[in-house]
Amino acid sequence: MKKSLLPVSLLAALVLAACNSNAETSSTDAAADNASTEPETITYESENGPVEVPADPERIVVLSTYAGNVLALDDDIVGVDSYSKGSPNYDLEDAQEVTADNLEQIIELDPDLIIGLSTTPNLEQLQEIAPTVTYTYGALDYLEQQIEIGKLLNKEEEATEWVEDFQARAQEAGEEIKAKIGEDATVSVIENFDKQLYVFGDNWARGTEILYQEMGLKMPEKVKEVALEPGYYTLSAEVLPEYAGDYLIVSRVADQDNSFMETETFKNIPAVKNGNMFVANAEEFYFNDPITLEIQLEFFKENFLGNE
């Protein structure tokens, strides 16, 4: 009996193996068919109308502001503006520094997508080089902007997931900070550049979106009056105490004149005297993309709450 059953078992095994092999082949073929049928381009609804862009862009040139938004979605940048190139927040070692005025350099980079601002020069010529999408700065809020970049790069779901997660974490940290410093405590954000001092509203980077929009911390009334609508306000060191909140965030440019911080006027600001001043590296605070926002959020958690 055993001798007569052996060939039958072997035959059944061979039949099963053949079926599995056929199934795997079919599955592989189906995957290949799906890959071959995936569109090479998508239509992106830009603020200026539909633009046909690569479904998976591989050589992106970013001419202003949005480098961190693109990098956060793991897309490749081959050319970038000088401001972004100099940011310590971004890994742009392999990207060339470019400007919209040097069209020949951009052509040599052979981009398949160009991203810029509505005020970027030479837009008509850039559109002849590669699909070009521009945004009006401030038309979208800082989180909507990331989702919009996600749509452009065919990664809307990934962008949306980050936005929702970031908002939850920032708001939770805000509740912890308010519980520690008090609901009515005020916070000011200032920066020095080219012998000028600036105080910021709630949408001009430097962490202001996190502090005011997500965490719900309060802005001094005097800052609200002058900086909320335009985004920032220029002031002198002599009047700075009038705009300083209970807490003071100084976005300091290291290679600029910081002598204002050594004056008696500055040292006598209550936030400074009480140890409620936190100094940030301005170069890490310039933008409001996901990479920068994560750095800013950690800065605020460490300084307001300590390394708990």
Side-chain angles (χ1 to χ4, degrees), residues 53-203:
V53 300
D56 184 19
E58 297 177 342
R59 299 186 62 80
I60 303 173
V61 167
V62 182
L63 293 174
S64 186
T65 298
Y66 305 113
N69 300 87
V70 173
L71 290 172
L73 292 166
D74 292 329
D75 276 51
D76 296 325
I77 295 177
V78 295
V80 70
D81 65 287
S82 61
Y83 208 38
S84 300
K85 179 76 173 176
S87 172
N89 300 346
Y90 308 148
D91 182 5
L92 287 168
E93 186 177 350
D94 296 329
Q96 284 190 30
E97 182 179 318
V98 298
T99 72
D101 293 321
N102 192 340
L103 297 174
E104 289 186 3
Q105 184 188 17
I106 294 175
I107 291 172
E108 289 173 358
L109 289 174
D110 190 26
D112 56 4
L113 178 63
I114 298 173
I115 303 173
L117 290 169
S118 56
T119 53
T120 298
N122 298 321
L123 284 177
E124 289 187 8
Q125 293 91 331
L126 291 169
Q127 288 165 354
E128 293 175 1
I129 298 172
T132 300
V133 172
T134 62
Y135 299 96
T136 300
Y137 187 81
L140 299 171
D141 75 30
Y142 75 115
L143 294 178
E144 291 172 338
Q145 184 66 61
Q146 179 61 12
I147 294 175
E148 205 59 32
I149 295 285
K151 292 177 184 176
L152 171 63
L153 301 179
N154 205 16
K155 294 182 176 178
E156 180 181 1
E157 184 177 347
E158 186 177 334
T160 302
E161 285 178 0
W162 177 84
V163 165
E164 292 174 349
D165 178 62
F166 179 79
Q167 278 191 301
R169 287 186 285 119
Q171 290 169 7
E172 180 181 359
E175 292 305 314
E176 294 177 19
I177 290 172
K178 283 186 286 189
K180 182 173 182 178
I181 69 174
E183 291 281 343
D184 295 326
T186 57
V187 182
S188 298
V189 180
I190 66 168
E191 187 174 284
N192 65 309
F193 187 80
D194 199 19
K195 299 182 180 179
Q196 295 282 357
L197 280 175
Y198 302 89
V199 63
F200 296 96
D202 68 351
N203 65 350

Side-chain angles (χ1 to χ4, degrees), residues 291-304:
I291 295 173
T292 301
L293 289 165
E294 294 286 2
I295 292 171
Q296 293 168 345
L297 178 57
E298 287 307 307
F299 175 90
F300 295 136
K301 289 168 65 176
E302 290 175 8
N303 282 280
F304 278 105

